[in-house]
Amino acid sequence: MSSNLKRFWLYQTLGWGSFALLNLSVRGYFSHYAVGELVNSMSLFAALMVSTGLLRLYFHRFIEDKSLGRAVAHVLLGALLAALLTTALVALVLLPNQELVFGKVIPEAPSQLLISIPNTLFIILLWSLFYLVIKRQRLLSQREKAQEALQQSLQAAQLDLLLSQINPHFIFNAINNIRALILEDKDKARQMLTELSDVMRYVMYADSGALIPFQQELGTVKQYLSINELQFESRLSYQLDIAPDCLDVLFPKMMLQLMVENAIKHGIGKRVQGGRIDISARCETGCLVVEVVNPGSLAPEGARGEGIGIQNIRQRLQLHYGEPAHRFACKAAFDIRADGENVVACLRLPLEKKDKEIA
């Protein structure tokens, strides 16, 4: 027996049991609690349990996916049949056993049972309305959960697709540089190969839909920079300014790497003399603020376009922190601006730690 069916019969027993007890209390008050009233209430309880149990099956068969008019007609018909069945079951118990139950034969008993049919019908109609409303709410809840699960699956697929856009030429350049380094410094080549392996493992096997501690992302970025230093040599340097209270804040995987990759590609890589990349992180007013600064310039506003890396960042922010994200005190945002001879990429994220948001 399924958990839903067990719950149904539990509620049936409690509901109709309470109704039978109320019926016994009211009728028993006027009959001085004769034994016959107890039998009458118990038979009514059993009859209602049977008739509404069958009515539930009738609703499953004839109301699912029907138009409103046909559904109402089936509710009325089903309730009427259940009321007649309830009356018939009570009659089968009481009428043949009147002397045993009441101590005498009551001539008007059959007519009294017939007169009670409208009352029984009304009670069963209330039960039907209550049952169908609960059933509809449960179906809506199940559909919402299914929709949410589908949305999460689609979001994970989108994140996987976005992560697959990470610039592949970095891998080829790194492998070629390591191959060249083998002839010059085998130990350093081995170290670089290990770091490249760690970076690729981080990209391929971490959960794309999950947020990770910023410290973990920062560690991978350091390895990424070390590999790039192999290619750019003295043309590339970097400096970190990370507030300690930011290290355990949850962060979208590979987003800082994309910011650094963008700084190397459009900043350092286009300058003969290279330059330094400054990476800073601080926590303020409910936000984690991460900035990546590199030497360079931005194209004029009208002629400026966004590369895959920046588009990737913006799309992933929407997936991670978009609707319904109003629960966050800080709105996620990314912008890139010129600051003198430098370009500043600024990322703002909600201050969020494991299983807890910091308002």
Side-chain angles (χ1 to χ4, degrees):
M1 184 182 294
S2 67
S3 59
N4 286 339
L5 190 57
K6 289 180 181 178
R7 194 180 302 113
F8 169 79
W9 286 113
L10 174 62
Y11 292 158
Q12 279 277 93
T13 304
L14 294 175
W16 289 130
S18 300
F19 175 76
L21 184 61
L22 177 64
N23 181 72
L24 175 62
S25 300
V26 174
R27 293 174 62 91
Y29 176 78
F30 295 101
S31 63
H32 304 290
Y33 299 99
V35 175
E37 295 303 334
L38 175 61
V39 176
N40 178 67
S41 296
M42 292 300 296
S43 61
L44 179 62
F45 165 75
L48 287 169
M49 288 284 289
V50 172
S51 62
T52 54
L54 294 174
L55 184 57
R56 169 181 171 272
L57 299 178
Y58 178 88
F59 287 161
H60 281 201
R61 174 66 177 82
F62 292 103
I63 291 186
E64 300 275 334
D65 300 323
K66 294 292 190 299
S67 65
L68 179 60
R70 295 180 65 183
V72 171
H74 279 298
V75 169
L76 293 175
L77 177 60
L80 177 60
L81 293 175
L84 293 175
L85 177 60
T86 300
T87 304
L89 292 175
V90 173
L92 286 175
V93 174
L94 296 182
L95 294 183
N97 303 294
Q98 292 185 63
E99 290 190 8
L100 179 64
V101 175
F102 300 109
K104 61 179 180 179
V105 175
I106 304 175
E108 62 273 17
S111 60
Q112 288 178 349
L113 286 172
L114 290 175
I115 293 173
S116 71
I117 290 178
N119 291 334
T120 305
L121 175 61
F122 177 73
I123 292 170
I124 292 179
L125 280 173
L126 288 180
W127 178 93
S128 301
L129 178 63
F130 188 69
Y131 171 78
L132 292 173
V133 167
I134 291 179
K135 180 176 177 60
R136 178 174 175 79
Q137 290 301 117
R138 183 178 294 116
L139 287 175
L140 288 175
S141 177
Q142 291 173 350
R143 288 174 183 174
E144 288 178 359
K145 290 180 180 178
Q147 185 68 24
E148 182 179 350
L150 177 61
Q151 185 64 32
Q152 290 176 350
S153 297
L154 290 174
Q155 179 175 325
Q158 287 178 283
L159 287 169
D160 286 335
L161 178 61
L162 289 171
L163 285 177
S164 70
Q165 294 177 352
I166 293 174
N167 206 335
H169 80 264
F170 156 72
I171 302 173
F172 297 121
N173 288 341
I175 292 175
N176 287 331
N177 290 329
I178 292 172
R179 184 181 62 180
L181 186 63
I182 290 175
L183 301 176
E184 302 175 8
D185 190 337
K186 293 182 180 180
D187 292 335
K188 188 174 182 181
R190 188 181 297 111
Q191 178 187 350
M192 290 297 102
L193 189 59
T194 300
E195 293 193 352
L196 177 61
S197 174
D198 290 341
V199 171
M200 296 311 301
R201 185 183 299 110
Y202 177 73
V203 173
M204 295 174 63
Y205 295 107
D207 183 0
S208 62
L211 300 176
I212 61 173
F214 182 66
Q215 184 173 15
Q216 185 177 345
E217 173 78 0
L218 187 62
T220 298
V221 167
K222 290 179 182 177
Q223 292 178 313
Y224 176 80
L225 285 166
S226 296
I227 295 171
N228 276 276
E229 283 180 320
L230 181 61
Q231 176 183 350
F232 289 93
E233 298 179 336
S234 61
R235 295 174 56 216
L236 172 63
S237 63
Y238 68 91
Q239 180 172 316
L240 301 178
D241 181 14
I242 310 297
D245 58 342
C246 297
L247 293 176
D248 57 349
V249 175
L250 295 181
F251 193 86
K253 171 192 164 189
M254 300 302 292
M255 192 165 287
L256 179 59
Q257 186 273 341
L258 283 172
M259 294 171 66
V260 172
E261 179 180 326
N262 197 63
I264 294 175
K265 180 179 178 181
H266 298 287
I268 307 300
K270 292 184 176 182
R271 293 166 57 91
V272 176
Q273 70 275 27
R276 188 182 74 186
I277 295 177
D278 293 304
I279 303 172
S280 64
R282 63 186 184 278
C283 299
E284 59 177 37
T285 60
C287 287
L288 169 65
V289 181
V290 178
E291 290 186 342
V292 176
V293 181
N294 62 270
S297 60
L298 291 177
E301 191 71 29
R304 187 184 309 168
E306 290 189 349
I308 292 178
I310 294 179
Q311 293 177 16
N312 189 302
I313 291 173
R314 296 194 191 281
Q315 292 174 28
R316 291 182 61 201
L317 284 180
Q318 179 62 30
L319 287 172
H320 279 297
Y321 302 102
E323 298 291 345
H326 300 298
R327 67 184 185 275
F328 296 117
C330 170
K331 183 178 180 180
F334 174 79
D335 66 84
I336 187 165
R337 66 183 188 277
D339 184 12
E341 296 182 351
N342 293 323
V343 174
V344 180
C346 181
L347 178 67
R348 298 176 65 87
L349 300 176
L351 265 182
E352 196 180 10
K353 297 189 179 181
K354 189 175 182 181
D355 298 328
K356 180 180 179 182
E357 179 207 351
I358 304 175

